[in-house]
Amino acid sequence: MENRKVIRENVLFSLHYVREEDGASDECRDATVMDISERGIRFETIERLPVGTTLKLTCDHDEKPPEGHTVSDKGVVVWSIQPEPGVPLFLVGLKYV
C-alpha cells in the first residue's frame, strides 16, 4: 500500500523537456504525462533519464494539464524505470523544483 502525502490525478497529455546538465543536447524531447500532483508528475518517454537529472519542461499549446493543476517549468528526476526489458519505454518520476 502506498503512503503518499499528496493525491495524484491520472491524466494523459503531452509534454516536452530539455535536459539541463552541462554537455547535454539542447534537443527538445517528447513525453506523455500519466499522472500529476502539486509536487510533480509521472511520465513516459523513450530515453533512460538518470536520477538527479534536471529537466526544463513545456506543454503543448493545445494540450494542458487538468483544471486546478499546473506543470512547473523545471523538475528533477527522482526515479526512472524500464517496465519491460527490451521495450524502449521508460517511466519517470519528476519532482518540481
Side-chain angles (χ1 to χ4, degrees):
M1 179 171 144
E2 291 192 48
N3 213 4
R4 296 192 182 274
K5 296 178 180 150
V6 181
I7 295 173
R8 293 181 172 269
E9 183 174 339
N10 291 330
V11 295
L12 194 61
F13 64 92
S14 295
L15 179 82
H16 305 289
Y17 65 90
V18 176
R19 294 173 56 172
E20 196 174 72
E21 59 271 348
D22 294 340
S25 166
D26 286 336
E27 183 179 340
C28 187
R29 311 239 189 222
D30 297 324
T32 302
V33 179
M34 308 303 292
D35 68 38
I36 190 169
S37 76
E38 65 186 44
R39 293 185 180 173
I41 57 176
R42 176 175 57 103
F43 64 90
E44 290 181 337
T45 188
I46 61 169
E47 72 172 323
R48 182 181 306 276
L49 293 168
V51 171
T53 303
T54 300
L55 305 177
K56 292 181 187 177
L57 310 171
T58 60
C59 291
D60 282 339
H61 295 291
D62 59 339
E63 290 195 57
K64 301 286 185 198
E67 192 169 319
H69 291 283
T70 57
V71 173
S72 177
D73 61 349
K74 190 184 285 189
V76 64
V77 175
V78 292
W79 58 265
S80 181
I81 62 169
Q82 184 177 18
E84 296 182 47
V87 177
L89 184 65
F90 299 87
L91 294 177
V92 178
L94 190 85
K95 179 176 80 171
Y96 299 143
V97 292

